[in-house]
Amino acid sequence: MTLTLALVQILNGLQFGLILFLIAAGLTLVFGVMDFINLAHGVQYMVGAYLVAAFTTMTGSFVAGLALALPAALLFGLLLEVLIFRHLYDRDHLDQVLATFGVIIFLNQAVKYVWGAAPLNVAIPDALSGAIEITDGMLYPVWRLVIIAAGLAVGLALYLVVNKTKLGMLVRAGASNAAMVSALGVNIRLLFTIVFGVGAMLAGFAGAMVAPILSVEPGMGDNVLILAFVVIVIGGIGSIRGAFIAALLIGLVDTLGRFFAPTLLKLLLDPSAASQTGRAIAPMLIYILMAAVLFFRPSGLFPSKQ
Amino acid sequence: MKQSFKLAGLAALMSVSALPAMSQKAAAQEKIKVGVIVSLSGAGAVLGQQARDGFNLAVKDLGGKMGGKDVEVIVVDDELKPDVAVTKVKGLLERDKVDFVVGPIFSNILGAIHKPVTENKTFLISPNAGPSSYAGKECNPYFYVTSYQNDQIHQILGNVAQKRGYKKIYLMTPNYQAGKDFVAGVKMDFKGEIVEESFIPLGTLDFQAELSKIASMKPDAVLTFMPGGMGVNLVKQYKQAGLLDRIPFLSTFTVDESTLPAQQDAAIGMFGGSNWAPTLDTPQNKKFVAEYEKAYNSVPATYAFQSYDAAMLINSAVVAVKGDLSDKTKVAAAMKKADFPSIRGGFKFSNNGYPVQDFFLTKVAKRADGKFQTEIVEKVFSNYSDRYAKDCAAQ
């Protein structure tokens, strides 16, 4: 029984990690290739969730809603890039932080204005809404397995694009030395725009996939943004591979920490205190992990800049 | 020379700014001014909107008049920030010179505005927050609550769990003061085994790790207090994890009409503790629910009805003193009588200004028109007063 529970918790950690990966993948490329700090990345995750909620209500089907939401998230990302972010690439990091923070506030209010402050509901397609029984009494929601599969598929696709195509080669080159790539005659601005659009779409995809599990509400992207930054710092800025491994690491450490910390503390403290402290300690573990990684490898696990 | 010019200018400014203040004071005697301070932005926005709408509906039902005088309602947003609330409420008291303040939704905001309002000898009516802090020794003749004392709602769950003979239960709550109050409230009547007291960090949105643990522990019931967005997520995930058919889900402030539009089918069959439900069978309630739905196109939650009652309470006091609010002792005496037909039927104040009323176990159901609401399952407490009233010196 305990072994099954531990396995189920590993599955939970994996699923959480893959969602983080979808968000962090775009962030790490934007940061790595363009040296641009985009705090508004979390908002794109929120926009993805709202778009899928709106289109699902409109079409009556989640699949159709998702199919419409992805291009819309891409367009929205490109729009932001052209209107706002493009003008910030040459400014210093503090200006970028200020401006993109402003975008967060603006968009959080904007979705509230359009859709209201109440959380929205997105229904899971009927075929995927149940739970499968792993062992006696232990059920696992099918939708979370779908998220795991989708996350792995996107990870594989990104790996192939970044490592096996010309575009991917340019992205990798841009991440290690953007000025040199530009000097060799590559239209770096266009490359930036593509990377930005894809990054925004991936964050939107993550938002769309969690929309049926989590409530779609203003400000939902603010919390995940911090975790996404932790992921890219641990993984090494600009590295997709680093983001993938760091995201899974964080997902597992966070979930298993919440599970094991109270159990282990019960050996030392009384049950009520153990339950309380255990769950309070668990969220700290990822930051301890980050500190440890930075101590031993200051530029992350897989740095893309040499 | 320059100096005296400045002084003259200052004097002129002061006289100009003093004028509107004087004219406002004169106007205040001609109409009744009520300041409504609720959370209209941030995580609690929906609750604040319901309270505001419920209050406005009552004023509309009264024809915009109380005791023959026009009513002016000034709504402000506390932004769910205590410091902002203090600034805003001081604006209501000093600039607008309101006669009554209605609000807030959250207990921590009440903690910030209680003193400024009551020390100004202005009546404060809480349409939701009912912490223990002002129910006992610190009770105040300027403070009234039209909702409940917070512990009572949690106590309902423990009482029901005990009566149903549950042997082992699983408690889950956010890790902050209100969560600890929840655990204490449940323990008042529940005497069986609590297999886990799970304190979740505030802001947690994914409960899957917790749900896996519940599935493996197989308790007789899960009791939880998970307000706002956290509750929306928990309810959806509880159903998705397939637990709803196996382990009963009893909650406070987790499934109500403010969260049901987001939870929908996932919440059907979940239990809650409340002092009211849209199905409560009183003529006032039928009229209220129908009017509210027509005006705002959503099902009212407790916040709306308690705020409606707050307006009716103010009206009853204004009528009793014939619109003359100058003698505060008389107004306080009229308020305490609670001489108005409450939407919940039987309602009176205990000596501490908190209600004496019935409490119910409710259950979520889908209506014929596709909307969701809570419905009354059974009465748990009758004419129930809170346990702090005995420490209040007022009679």
Side-chain angles (χ1 to χ4, degrees):
Chain A
M1 195 64 210
T2 328
L3 184 67
T4 344
L5 183 58
L7 285 175
V8 167
Q9 297 292 20
I10 289 173
L11 217 52
N12 289 335
L14 209 60
Q15 178 254 315
F16 180 44
L18 284 165
I19 286 291
L20 281 181
F21 166 67
L22 289 177
I23 302 165
L27 191 65
T28 198
L29 284 181
V30 170
F31 200 175
V33 179
M34 309 183 207
D35 192 29
F36 174 60
I37 300 185
N38 181 17
L39 293 188
H41 197 73
V43 181
Q44 279 152 346
Y45 161 85
M46 173 183 76
V47 166
Y50 267 101
L51 286 172
V52 85
F55 286 125
T56 303
T57 319
M58 208 184 288
T59 57
S61 137
F62 181 84
V63 179
L66 184 64
L68 286 170
L70 285 183
L74 177 69
L75 276 180
F76 187 76
L78 293 177
L79 194 71
L80 280 182
E81 203 266 349
V82 171
L83 285 181
I84 303 165
F85 300 147
R86 180 170 287 185
H87 311 288
L88 296 167
Y89 293 153
D90 299 329
R91 311 287 283 268
D92 66 29
H93 281 162
L94 187 61
D95 288 355
Q96 297 170 353
V97 165
L98 276 177
T100 53
F101 190 68
V103 173
I104 295 183
I105 297 173
F106 175 79
L107 286 178
N108 276 342
Q109 284 301 322
V111 294
K112 200 182 286 178
Y113 189 74
V114 177
W115 284 286
L120 300 185
N121 180 50
V122 178
I124 302 179
D126 280 342
L128 304 171
S129 66
I132 50 169
E133 189 145 6
I134 297 176
T135 55
D136 172 48
M138 283 304 287
L139 294 150
Y140 204 77
V142 178
W143 186 250
R144 288 182 189 261
L145 295 174
V146 173
I147 292 180
I148 292 177
L152 289 175
V154 170
L156 182 68
L158 272 181
Y159 172 80
L160 291 177
V161 170
V162 170
N163 290 299
K164 309 282 176 194
T165 65
K166 182 154 180 271
L167 179 69
M169 190 180 73
L170 290 176
V171 169
R172 275 180 294 143
S176 49
N177 195 333
M180 183 59 84
V181 178
S182 181
L184 290 170
V186 174
N187 184 347
I188 197 91
R189 276 286 153 110
L190 180 66
L191 183 71
F192 279 8
T193 309
I194 293 173
V195 167
F196 197 92
V198 172
M201 188 174 74
L202 284 178
F205 179 61
M209 292 305 282
V210 299
I213 304 180
L214 306 182
S215 58
V216 179
E217 57 186 344
M220 66 183 279
D222 303 354
N223 290 332
V224 290
L225 179 75
I226 298 168
L227 287 178
F229 270 108
V230 173
V231 166
I232 70 171
V233 166
I234 291 183
I237 288 156
S239 161
I240 289 280
R241 183 170 52 149
F244 184 77
I245 290 175
L248 292 190
L249 208 57
I250 287 199
L252 287 173
V253 166
D254 187 61
T255 309
L256 295 181
R258 278 167 210 267
F259 170 52
F260 282 115
T263 320
L264 289 180
L265 278 174
K266 259 180 204 164
L267 302 174
L268 304 170
L269 301 165
D270 72 275
S272 166
S275 151
Q276 210 165 331
T277 15
R279 282 178 180 81
I281 290 175
M284 292 179 211
L285 290 177
I286 52 177
Y287 299 101
I288 295 171
L289 176 72
M290 178 172 77
V293 168
L294 287 181
F295 183 77
F296 292 107
R297 302 192 62 132
S299 43
L301 294 175
F302 301 94
S304 60
K305 283 198 181 17
Q306 302 307 320
Chain B
M1 194 63 194
K2 256 188 175 175
Q3 201 71 12
S4 57
F5 265 127
K6 269 189 190 163
L7 274 177
L10 198 63
L13 263 177
M14 277 167 67
S15 64
V16 171
S17 60
L19 270 175
M22 275 164 64
S23 61
Q24 263 179 3
K25 183 130 200 188
Q29 290 164 359
E30 282 152 27
K31 54 182 172 186
I32 310 291
K33 281 191 166 189
V34 184
V36 174
I37 178 162
V38 287
S39 307
L40 296 170
S41 53
V46 188
L47 317 186
Q49 286 161 9
Q50 285 237 358
R52 176 197 62 196
D53 293 346
F55 195 88
N56 284 334
L57 185 64
V59 172
K60 205 178 100 197
D61 279 356
L62 292 168
K65 284 186 188 298
M66 288 180 182
K69 292 189 173 182
D70 285 335
V71 181
E72 184 183 348
V73 180
I74 304 157
V75 180
V76 294
D77 176 13
D78 63 34
E79 297 172 30
L80 195 37
K81 292 175 188 148
D83 51 326
V84 174
V86 169
T87 313
K88 296 267 178 90
V89 89
K90 283 194 170 151
L92 288 175
L93 297 171
E94 287 158 22
R95 188 190 57 237
D96 300 319
K97 308 222 181 300
V98 295
D99 304 301
F100 298 89
V101 174
V102 173
I105 299 294
F106 295 93
S107 296
N108 61 332
I109 303 290
L110 181 63
I113 68 169
H114 181 274
K115 205 170 165 198
V117 179
T118 53
E119 280 191 348
N120 192 48
K121 296 195 187 302
T122 302
F123 292 97
L124 176 63
I125 298 115
S126 166
N128 190 58
S132 57
S133 34
Y134 306 115
K137 275 200 196 84
E138 301 291 316
C139 64
N140 191 303
Y142 288 97
F143 180 59
Y144 297 88
V145 175
T146 57
S147 51
Y148 38 73
Q149 201 284 310
N150 293 350
D151 301 3
Q152 296 175 310
I153 300 287
H154 303 314
Q155 198 190 350
I156 297 173
L157 299 193
N159 189 283
V160 168
Q162 180 70 20
K163 268 195 276 195
R164 290 190 177 179
Y166 293 145
K167 295 280 176 296
K168 42 178 197 167
I169 59 173
Y170 192 106
L171 298 185
M172 196 166 24
T173 166
N175 193 2
Y176 70 130
Q177 188 53 44
K180 293 181 178 123
D181 292 346
F182 162 76
V183 173
V186 167
K187 282 181 179 169
M188 279 168 68
D189 287 348
F190 183 74
K191 302 298 168 213
E193 186 195 355
I194 294 171
V195 289
E196 182 87 34
E197 284 175 29
S198 176
F199 286 94
I200 313 269
L202 262 180
T204 298
L205 294 177
D206 198 341
F207 295 90
Q208 182 60 29
E210 210 62 44
L211 297 176
S212 301
K213 201 165 178 182
I214 293 175
S216 80
M217 284 182 137
K218 297 195 178 89
D220 293 332
V222 172
L223 272 62
T224 185
F225 159 67
M226 204 62 72
M230 293 178 79
V232 171
N233 290 350
L234 173 63
V235 163
K236 285 207 257 179
Q237 293 163 16
Y238 196 82
K239 161 97 176 183
Q240 283 163 10
L243 289 171
L244 188 52
D245 306 329
R246 297 164 186 240
I247 303 168
F249 185 96
L250 282 69
S251 66
T252 50
F253 307 102
T254 307
V255 287
D256 68 23
E257 290 74 15
S258 70
T259 57
L260 284 174
Q263 294 158 334
Q264 302 203 351
D265 293 299
I268 290 178
M270 288 185 171
F271 295 100
S274 183
N275 56 346
W276 168 89
T279 56
L280 183 69
D281 193 15
T282 69
Q284 303 91 297
N285 190 41
K286 283 200 179 108
K287 177 168 165 280
F288 164 75
V289 172
E291 275 182 6
Y292 187 95
E293 287 188 22
K294 193 163 163 246
Y296 306 109
N297 196 29
S298 64
V299 188
T302 48
Y303 317 98
F305 112 81
Q306 286 157 180
S307 188
Y308 186 99
D309 265 6
M312 291 304 172
L313 167 69
I314 294 175
N315 179 55
S316 74
V318 173
V319 170
V321 298
K322 300 191 175 61
D324 176 16
L325 299 175
S326 53
D327 188 343
K328 304 273 185 187
T329 331
K330 271 190 189 160
V331 181
M335 293 279 280
K336 200 156 247 175
K337 277 189 193 141
D339 184 17
F340 68 99
S342 166
I343 284 175
R344 72 202 98 180
F347 172 89
K348 58 181 191 202
F349 281 124
S350 185
N351 59 328
N352 57 357
Y354 282 60
V356 181
Q357 60 186 335
D358 298 344
F359 289 92
F360 307 93
L361 183 72
T362 61
K363 191 175 182 178
V364 176
K366 191 175 188 171
R367 304 195 311 200
D369 67 356
K371 288 189 173 150
F372 297 84
Q373 68 183 10
T374 57
E375 294 178 350
I376 289 171
V377 179
E378 65 191 59
K379 192 185 275 188
V380 181
F381 301 119
S382 293
N383 284 326
Y384 193 53
S385 175
D386 63 89
R387 59 191 161 124
Y388 303 98
K390 62 180 189 310
D391 299 327
C392 173
Q395 283 313 314

